Amino acid sequence: MVKVLDKILSQSAYSAEIGVPLEKIDIADWLFNLPEAEYLRCCPPDHIAAGVTWTDDGRRMSINVEQIGSGLVVQHYVAEVAEPAYCRMNSISDVFTASGRTQVNVVWELIAEKIDDSRTRYTNRVTAHPTEAFMSFIQEHGVTYEDAAAARQAAGGDHNRRETPLFAAR
């Protein structure tokens, strides 16, 4: 069992407008039927692979492989909420760096809100939390938590800023 710490490693939220009424939006359907090629177009060259599967207890999962900053990240997003206007995905993500492998917890929220009868606001919110394994990893490599959080904030924020309008355009 991975222990997630009650700290925020990084957090970002970006929004984009969609020229479609909220009633025609179904984020959960899009997320769990997303062709890999479309996922790759949503943040080139960072997005590497995507797929869907199930947990042993029957919950839906989205597996995403992406480069965020200098880390190759394998996201194992389990659906906590999967509704047309809101999805909350939770992942114990594997992060591969030049110094080795560690894990972080990533919560990905996909939110659709009505602007008016013909427009919807899409918000992509990503919050990362350290795990005990991550804290041991940075300590073993002489990195302070503050430096690790600053690097993750810069890389994760940049990634989210670039992918949000491309998710919304799909």
Side-chain angles (χ1 to χ4, degrees):
M1 184 74 167
V2 175
K3 181 164 179 160
V4 175
L5 303 180
D6 190 25
K7 291 180 159 190
I8 292 178
L9 183 59
S10 65
Q11 188 170 47
S12 65
Y14 289 91
S15 297
E17 189 176 305
I18 303 171
V20 173
L22 177 63
E23 295 74 22
K24 292 192 174 187
I25 302 287
D26 190 335
I27 295 172
D29 182 67
W30 173 78
L31 181 62
F32 292 107
N33 292 291
L34 178 66
E36 183 177 72
E38 185 174 336
Y39 175 75
L40 299 181
R41 287 189 294 270
C42 288
C43 196
D46 297 8
H47 287 179
I48 297 166
V52 294
T53 188
W54 300 88
T55 63
D56 282 345
D57 61 0
R59 293 175 291 159
R60 292 193 285 185
M61 291 181 69
S62 173
I63 306 293
N64 301 345
V65 179
E66 53 194 350
Q67 182 82 34
I68 299 178
S70 61
L72 178 66
V73 184
V74 179
Q75 314 274 17
H76 309 263
Y77 286 117
V78 176
E80 293 181 336
V81 179
E83 299 173 347
Y86 180 70
C87 288
R88 180 182 164 93
M89 309 297 290
N90 195 325
S91 172
I92 299 298
S93 301
D94 295 300
V95 182
F96 298 85
T97 74
S99 301
R101 178 179 176 179
T102 189
Q103 292 181 311
V104 296
N105 170 238
V106 181
V107 177
W108 179 24
E109 295 174 280
L110 305 88
I111 305 158
E113 301 169 293
K114 183 175 185 169
I115 297 173
D116 59 30
D117 289 344
S118 62
R119 297 178 302 146
T120 301
R121 177 181 309 103
Y122 170 72
T123 299
N124 201 57
R125 180 182 302 145
V126 180
T127 305
H129 302 273
T131 63
E132 279 189 342
F134 177 81
M135 298 303 278
S136 295
F137 180 83
I138 63 173
Q139 184 177 11
E140 289 168 13
H141 293 90
V143 178
T144 66
Y145 179 77
E146 291 74 20
D147 287 347
R152 169 69 195 190
Q153 181 65 42
D158 174 62
H159 180 86
N160 192 2
R161 177 189 56 76
R162 291 184 289 117
E163 76 181 353
T164 297
L166 297 174
F167 280 153
R170 303 293 173 211

